Amino acid sequence: MNTSDVLSDAPADADPALFATMSTMRAMRRLRPEPVPDEVLDRLIQAAVWGPSGGNMQRYEYVVVTDPAVMAELAPLWKRCVDAYLATTGKYAPAGMDEAAYGRMVAAIEYQRDHFAETPALVIPCYRFPEPRIEEEGMRRYAEALGADATARMGRIQERFSALAEGSCVYPGVQNLLLAARGLGLAANITIWHLFLEEEWKAVLGIPEEMNTFAAIPVGWPRGRFGPVSRRPVAEVVHRDRW
């Protein structure tokens, strides 16, 4: 089957609309204080639920904050997390990024920090894998399939493997949520800075201790305009067939 056969099955305008959405999906941090209707937020969560979930376990949960009183409790935590980031990793522009452009990004981060209590909505995606069911025969066959060296290596990286396995189940849904927000004209951006103080965030939001949180996504109507994203060219990032 060639590319034209595949594309002929799709509506004529399906791909251009989706690609236009992705190519203008900037992180929008300056939000207007007007509330986002619950039915619109439900559409964002529906989009997230449609995302892939490893093993089809569908163990995701989403905390959606719209109460100004709760947002006011989170604002000091957000400030501490942002200040910690800007004092370390965020102190310097990423390699290849223009200093002036990075200065504008930091200004937007600081604006969001200083106005966080006015954030109309905040989404916290959560996920928790069930405890693995392991039996002796399965482990024997596992070791035979991988070999001694790879089995030992997996033992050393098990924590990383588990974290990636959980993340691969929740982040596709997060991307769907961000795409849906852009499609509905909403501003949103994904951060993981809350993890600096995750226990404190969980305490405010009543999230169970055993549940892992994967992002804090402020959502609202944008103060600015959407525009094209700036990314590395495809030719610089693709390795055909091998590195």
Side-chain angles (χ1 to χ4, degrees), residues 41-209:
L41 293 172
D42 285 348
R43 293 186 71 185
L44 300 186
I45 303 304
Q46 176 63 81
V49 167
W50 283 332
S53 176
N56 198 30
M57 288 186 285
Q58 303 184 33
R59 295 177 64 87
Y60 35 68
E61 308 283 347
Y62 293 88
V63 178
V64 180
V65 181
T66 57
D67 186 339
V70 178
M71 210 72 74
E73 284 190 74
L74 294 174
L77 297 179
W78 183 270
K79 182 181 186 307
R80 290 168 62 192
C81 292
V82 171
D83 288 349
Y85 169 77
L86 292 177
T88 52
T89 304
K91 189 174 182 179
Y92 307 101
M97 187 174 188
D98 178 79
E99 288 287 346
Y102 187 65
R104 291 191 295 271
M105 189 179 86
V106 169
I109 291 171
E110 292 174 337
Y111 178 94
Q112 187 176 57
R113 175 197 64 193
D114 297 341
H115 294 81
F116 190 81
E118 303 165 22
T119 302
L122 182 73
V123 180
I124 310 290
C126 305
Y127 205 94
R128 181 62 177 170
F129 261 155
E131 290 298 319
R133 292 182 293 180
I134 298 176
E135 41 83 23
E136 186 175 344
E137 174 61 16
M139 287 303 299
R140 183 186 66 78
R141 296 180 65 180
Y142 168 93
E144 286 179 355
L146 294 183
D149 289 346
T151 299
R153 191 182 312 123
M154 281 301 300
R156 294 192 295 271
I157 68 164
Q158 188 58 47
E159 184 176 352
R160 175 171 177 260
F161 182 87
S162 297
L164 287 173
E166 279 194 321
S168 68
C169 291
V170 67
Y171 285 127
V174 169
Q175 179 68 0
N176 270 14
L177 185 154
L178 294 171
L179 282 166
R182 172 65 187 91
L184 294 170
L186 286 162
N189 69 288
I190 178 174
T191 76
I192 60 169
W193 297 331
H194 77 289
L195 293 174
F196 292 140
L197 296 170
E198 186 181 27
E199 291 186 7
E200 289 85 344
W201 282 72
K202 284 184 175 182
V204 171
L205 298 173
I207 297 173
E209 182 179 349

